[in-house]
Amino acid sequence: MHQGKEIIFEDLLRQSGRKATPGRVAILKILQAHGQPMTVSEITQRMNGKLNQVTIYRALEAMKRSGFVHKVDLQHSHAHYELITGIAHHHHVVCEQCGIVEDIDHCNIQNLDRITLKKLKQFRSIKSHALEFFGTCDNCVKSGLS
């Protein structure tokens, strides 16, 4: 997506063959404003009752298939979603105590992909990967929660 200028979500949705419904546009704007992975419940709260959770979940899954959002597994009992922006592929570090999330905006895993492929017997290529790190943030360490 476009970085550094206003994103016109209506145009992007239409260009991808998706309907630019007010709900989908609102979800994308909420994800953009938050800047971190969000749960369906968090998005529902920000929608102020305009869409129910089932509709939001379905819209997120459709936009995931279209490449607008990414589903992130932060090892909670629920999925998180984030807007795919002009930022390069990235990962997250999650505090196991308080749940704070920080982006890692670099990904130099190509060597691992190459090494992994050499050891695999039934695969010829790796197209994508998901990698999240878990630990304890500075505030939790200072508070003695580690």
Side-chain angles (χ1 to χ4, degrees), residues 70 89 91 109 113 125-131:
H70 177 67
H89 174 78
H91 302 286
I109 200 159
D113 286 354
S125 68
I126 295 174
K127 294 184 180 184
S128 67
H129 62 271
L131 179 64

Side-chain angles (χ1 to χ4, degrees), residues 9-52:
F9 292 114
E10 294 89 341
D11 293 345
L12 290 174
L13 286 164
R14 287 185 189 114
Q15 289 169 6
S16 73
R18 294 281 175 194
K19 292 181 183 176
T21 65
R24 287 181 180 174
V25 171
I27 291 167
L28 291 171
K29 286 181 178 180
I30 287 168
L31 289 170
Q32 180 185 35
H34 191 65
Q36 291 285 317
M38 296 180 75
T39 66
V40 172
S41 294
E42 291 169 332
I43 296 167
T44 303
Q45 289 174 348
R46 300 256 174 111
M47 292 291 295
N48 297 320
K50 294 177 185 167
L51 295 176
N52 65 41

